[in-house]
Amino acid sequence: MVTLKHIAEKAGFTVSVVSRALNPRPDRHARVAPDTKARIEEVARELGFRRNRGAEFLKRGKSPVIQIFLPGKAYSQTADLMFGMAEAAAKEDFPLSFSFGITENSYSHFLQSAIRNRSCGVLAVQPVMAPGFWSRFEPAIDSLKMLSLNARSASPGHVPVLSIGYQEAGSLAADHLVARGCARLAVIGRAPQRILGFQGSARLKATPVHCFQPSETTALASWIREAAKPVGIFALTDILALKVIRHVQRLGLRVPEDVRIVGHDDSEFAVHLDPALTTIRQPYREQGREAVRMIIRMMYGETVDSKIIQPALIVRESA
Amino acid sequence: MVTLKHIAEKAGFTVSVVSRALNPRPDRHARVAPDTKARIEEVARELGFRRNRGAEFLKRGKSPVIQIFLPGKAYSQTADLMFGMAEAAAKEDFPLSFSFGITENSYSHFLQSAIRNRSCGVLAVQPVMAPGFWSRFEPAIDSLKMLSLNARSASPGHVPVLSIGYQEAGSLAADHLVARGCARLAVIGRAPQRILGFQGSARLKATPVHCFQPSETTALASWIREAAKPVGIFALTDILALKVIRHVQRLGLRVPEDVRIVGHDDSEFAVHLDPALTTIRQPYREQGREAVRMIIRMMYGETVDSKIIQPALIVRESA
DNA sequence: TTGAAAGCGCTAACAT
DNA sequence: ATGTTAGCGCTTTCAA
């Protein structure tokens, strides 16, 4: 429980000097001598000082708590995101508060609560919102530092976006399947961006793409039977891939000889399937870490740029 | 951003009275008149007041942040736990800080950090610790309110434990398999408590149990071939169950007619297997919620009792 | 039963 | 470049 006061006493300065020396964003009008700064930092290290974030932000009329809004459904992905966020936040002693929801309404509640709690850092996987949504929150919303994750709707003013490369995922899948000799491609599932990326890359290779809904497994089966082998399928989740593999094997066809399958998510079970699933791993954990790092910078007044984190293709046996 | 001050002004009292009226744990020496309390609570509700936890605990020389230590590995379960904790904490405006680790050493780091941060609430899935571990933290550890989750090692003094019913899980599996006519039972995987519960219940029904390591799939296969049908298998994770189903089907046997299989975890993919997996669902999410509720009570000085939360058998097609 | 006042750890004017 | 001071929102003596 070492405070600025302890450091001040030991180093022979006042608390304000110590505060300035250790402040992550020193005011240009409040400098300390280099020697002083070095000395104070040394003492702080010796004593194992960790700044009390609550007190720091209390003084600023704010809360250090980073408020986070996530979809309460998609399991492993959300979990990964949370893991990453928790890691990065713990490192800097920033507390977290998670809320879950998928509707515009629950998001609205969340924002109100963030404003009431004087939180200045907000991380959100935003639901699809009606136009005019943001006007409800003016002008309080401007006091919030926000970072949007995988944005689908427009955000107010200049809210930066940290995205996962969904289009790129589709692209990777198509390129891989074509490279493995598939002249006929299909995609099953609902995920506009991934489909877009898949179609885009397939078009470049002049390869036709058929799209199927998750429920259209029989339609997919007959398409598979008729198409020239080998055929390539991009399943938009690993669960779908699991189902497709089962169907293909029931049809008496072989994976990957006749049908090559790429999944998406790199779920825990993917490696245990037979054949082991080739799939796309999204760096959710890294996205979580980066999101927290970015929002912390924003909480200290920096501006950050939007960016996209790229996925990786994990090649196993199914394609 | 409504504070005690706003309420005080509107209700016509001083801040101290408002504080006492709204305090979750009012001192017996600091009562307010029932009318006053009612009036103040009304105003607080009207204004949508939410207590600033940071300031509240700052005054007490503590931090409101609940520090949480979890194994960084087992995915879906840990995620569920986190979901539950996050839900309960958000409801009461308590911030969270998660740390991940599995070694004694990382746990030691975590505790030191919790002490340094003046956190009074600690939730931990404790690793296995050497005897004498706790003496390193005396007497600072006593200032921490701790709740242990699924404890395996002893904790200092009277640290309560909130457990998952692992033994009960084994019990449920054995009872179900016997009720479904299995006269021969096996268990595959590593999880002492679940195995104990399984064996215990099987013994009561005078049914023999064979134990297999996760790697001993061939040994399991030959055991299956020779045993009188139907045979019952308890797979200690759903992933193992997936593998066993595959092996059984390759042997030309049918699930569940010849071999009945019960998994554990109720993973996302369990329902999509063929046949759909009968499995045991552990209430991790509820455990997370309850853990946070308990630790909050402890942070306010209440004492809580250890307890066990019971799992449920989800009957599908495989047994 | 209520009010006045001090102070938790920290930051940010303002003064020196 | 450093010191002094006030105050963030809240709890908690101490007095009335």
Side-chain angles (χ1 to χ4, degrees):
Chain A
M1 207 194 70
V2 24
T3 69
L4 291 190
K5 203 176 164 192
H6 299 130
I7 300 174
E9 280 163 10
K10 186 154 182 192
F13 289 94
T14 53
V15 176
S16 3
V17 180
V18 176
S19 169
R20 284 193 287 258
L22 262 27
N23 211 307
R25 187 205 37 165
D27 257 31
R28 52 231 139 264
H29 292 301
R31 295 215 112 94
V32 292
D35 296 8
T36 309
K37 189 173 158 76
R39 172 71 188 132
I40 287 175
E41 276 171 348
E42 192 194 328
V43 175
R45 216 173 315 111
E46 264 172 36
L47 262 39
F49 171 72
R50 314 204 86 180
R51 169 180 270 94
N52 182 329
R53 297 284 178 198
E56 174 187 355
F57 280 79
L58 174 61
K59 174 58 199 169
R60 301 204 182 107
K62 293 283 176 187
S63 155
V65 181
I66 300 174
Q67 302 269 354
I68 301 165
F69 184 81
L70 298 175
K73 282 182 120 181
Y75 252 42
S76 47
Q77 297 93 311
T78 304
D80 248 357
L81 204 55
M82 289 173 73
F83 274 56
M85 290 173 170
E87 272 178 29
K91 194 174 263 176
E92 304 284 344
D93 289 326
F94 277 90
L96 261 29
S97 173
F98 293 97
S99 298
F100 303 101
I102 32 163
T103 62
E104 180 182 314
N105 201 32
S106 55
Y107 186 51
S108 174
H109 267 58
F110 163 79
L111 285 174
Q112 265 151 9
S113 150
I115 292 170
R116 263 205 313 266
N117 281 350
R118 317 154 188 79
S119 181
C120 57
V122 169
L123 253 30
V125 176
Q126 299 180 346
V128 178
M129 294 153 302
F133 175 87
W134 292 107
S135 59
R136 267 190 269 164
F137 296 95
E138 303 290 357
I141 200 74
D142 297 323
S143 69
L144 251 46
K145 305 288 183 175
M146 291 193 52
L147 176 64
S148 177
L149 304 174
N150 309 330
R152 286 175 201 187
S153 308
S155 297
H158 186 58
V159 170
V161 181
L162 177 64
S163 299
I164 278 293
Y166 282 124
Q167 284 217 22
E168 180 69 12
S171 224
L172 281 174
D175 289 349
H176 181 71
L177 289 171
V178 169
R180 292 286 167 116
C182 301
R184 292 283 179 280
L185 258 30
V187 55
I188 179 164
R190 250 188 296 263
Q193 298 190 64
R194 281 169 258 182
I195 293 177
L196 219 65
F198 192 73
Q199 287 173 322
S201 270
R203 194 171 307 121
L204 287 180
K205 312 278 167 87
T207 311
V209 170
H210 277 252
C211 297
F212 296 92
Q213 293 295 310
S215 57
E216 300 179 308
T217 36
T218 35
L220 177 63
S222 46
W223 177 84
I224 290 174
R225 213 166 332 128
E226 287 156 22
K229 304 294 175 300
V231 125
I233 299 175
F234 181 30
L236 262 24
T237 68
D238 287 348
I239 295 270
L240 275 173
L242 183 159
K243 287 187 180 181
V244 171
I245 290 180
R246 218 168 64 194
H247 267 83
V248 168
Q249 290 174 337
R250 279 207 193 134
L251 242 45
L253 295 170
R254 294 157 307 163
V255 180
E257 291 82 356
D258 305 313
V259 182
R260 316 217 156 147
I261 299 175
V262 174
H264 186 280
D265 289 343
D266 194 23
S267 305
E268 200 184 356
F269 62 85
V271 68
H272 299 289
L273 256 31
D274 187 26
L277 189 63
T278 290
T279 184
I280 289 172
R281 178 187 299 161
Q282 291 287 8
Y284 290 108
R285 193 157 182 157
E286 176 52 26
Q287 187 190 22
R289 275 191 290 253
E290 183 61 16
V292 164
R293 282 188 228 117
M294 288 170 78
I295 198 71
I296 290 178
R297 299 219 310 272
M298 291 171 69
M299 288 164 80
Y300 285 110
E302 285 182 50
T303 51
V304 304
D305 290 328
S306 296
K307 60 195 265 190
I308 297 179
I309 304 184
Q310 297 303 346
L313 179 75
I314 309 295
V315 179
R316 297 206 181 93
E317 302 163 2
S318 71
Chain B
M1 206 194 71
V2 25
T3 68
L4 290 191
K5 202 175 163 192
H6 299 131
I7 300 175
E9 280 163 8
K10 186 153 183 193
F13 289 93
T14 53
V15 177
S16 0
V17 181
V18 175
S19 169
R20 285 192 286 258
L22 261 27
N23 210 306
R25 185 207 36 166
D27 257 30
R28 49 229 141 270
H29 292 300
R31 296 216 112 94
V32 293
D35 295 8
T36 308
K37 189 172 158 75
R39 173 69 188 135
I40 288 175
E41 278 170 347
E42 190 193 328
V43 174
R45 214 172 318 112
E46 263 172 37
L47 262 39
F49 171 72
R50 316 203 85 182
R51 168 179 272 95
N52 182 331
R53 298 285 179 197
E56 172 187 355
F57 280 79
L58 173 60
K59 176 59 198 165
R60 301 203 181 108
K62 293 282 175 187
S63 155
V65 181
I66 300 173
Q67 303 269 354
I68 301 165
F69 184 81
L70 298 175
K73 286 181 115 182
Y75 253 44
S76 47
Q77 295 93 314
T78 304
D80 247 356
L81 205 55
M82 288 173 73
F83 274 56
M85 289 173 170
E87 273 178 28
K91 194 173 265 177
E92 303 285 342
D93 289 324
F94 277 90
L96 261 28
S97 173
F98 293 97
S99 298
F100 304 101
I102 33 163
T103 62
E104 181 183 312
N105 201 31
S106 55
Y107 186 50
S108 174
H109 267 58
F110 163 78
L111 286 175
Q112 265 151 11
S113 150
I115 292 171
R116 264 204 313 268
N117 281 348
R118 318 153 188 80
S119 181
C120 59
V122 169
L123 252 29
V125 176
Q126 301 181 343
V128 178
M129 295 154 300
F133 175 87
W134 292 107
S135 59
R136 268 190 269 163
F137 296 96
E138 303 288 356
I141 198 75
D142 297 325
S143 69
L144 252 48
K145 305 289 183 174
M146 292 192 51
L147 176 63
S148 178
L149 304 175
N150 308 333
R152 285 174 204 189
S153 307
S155 297
H158 185 59
V159 170
V161 180
L162 177 63
S163 299
I164 278 291
Y166 283 124
Q167 283 218 22
E168 180 70 14
S171 223
L172 281 173
D175 289 349
H176 181 71
L177 289 170
V178 169
R180 291 287 166 114
C182 302
R184 293 282 179 279
L185 258 31
V187 56
I188 180 164
R190 249 188 298 262
Q193 297 189 63
R194 281 170 259 183
I195 294 176
L196 218 65
F198 191 72
Q199 289 172 320
S201 271
R203 194 173 306 120
L204 288 180
K205 311 276 167 86
T207 311
V209 171
H210 278 252
C211 296
F212 296 92
Q213 293 294 311
S215 56
E216 300 179 308
T217 37
T218 35
L220 177 63
S222 48
W223 176 82
I224 290 174
R225 214 168 327 129
E226 287 157 21
K229 305 291 177 302
V231 125
I233 299 176
F234 180 30
L236 262 25
T237 68
D238 287 347
I239 296 271
L240 275 172
L242 183 159
K243 289 186 179 181
V244 171
I245 290 180
R246 219 167 63 192
H247 267 82
V248 167
Q249 290 173 338
R250 278 205 193 137
L251 243 43
L253 294 170
R254 295 157 305 163
V255 179
E257 291 81 355
D258 305 314
V259 182
R260 315 215 157 149
I261 299 176
V262 174
H264 187 280
D265 290 342
D266 194 23
S267 304
E268 201 184 354
F269 62 85
V271 68
H272 299 289
L273 257 30
D274 187 26
L277 189 63
T278 291
T279 185
I280 288 172
R281 178 186 301 163
Q282 290 287 8
Y284 290 108
R285 193 157 184 157
E286 175 54 26
Q287 187 191 21
R289 274 192 290 252
E290 183 61 17
V292 164
R293 281 188 228 117
M294 286 170 79
I295 198 70
I296 290 179
R297 299 218 313 270
M298 290 171 69
M299 289 165 81
Y300 285 111
E302 285 183 48
T303 51
V304 305
D305 290 328
S306 295
K307 60 195 265 189
I308 298 178
I309 305 184
Q310 297 303 346
L313 178 76
I314 310 295
V315 179
R316 298 204 181 94
E317 301 163 3
S318 71

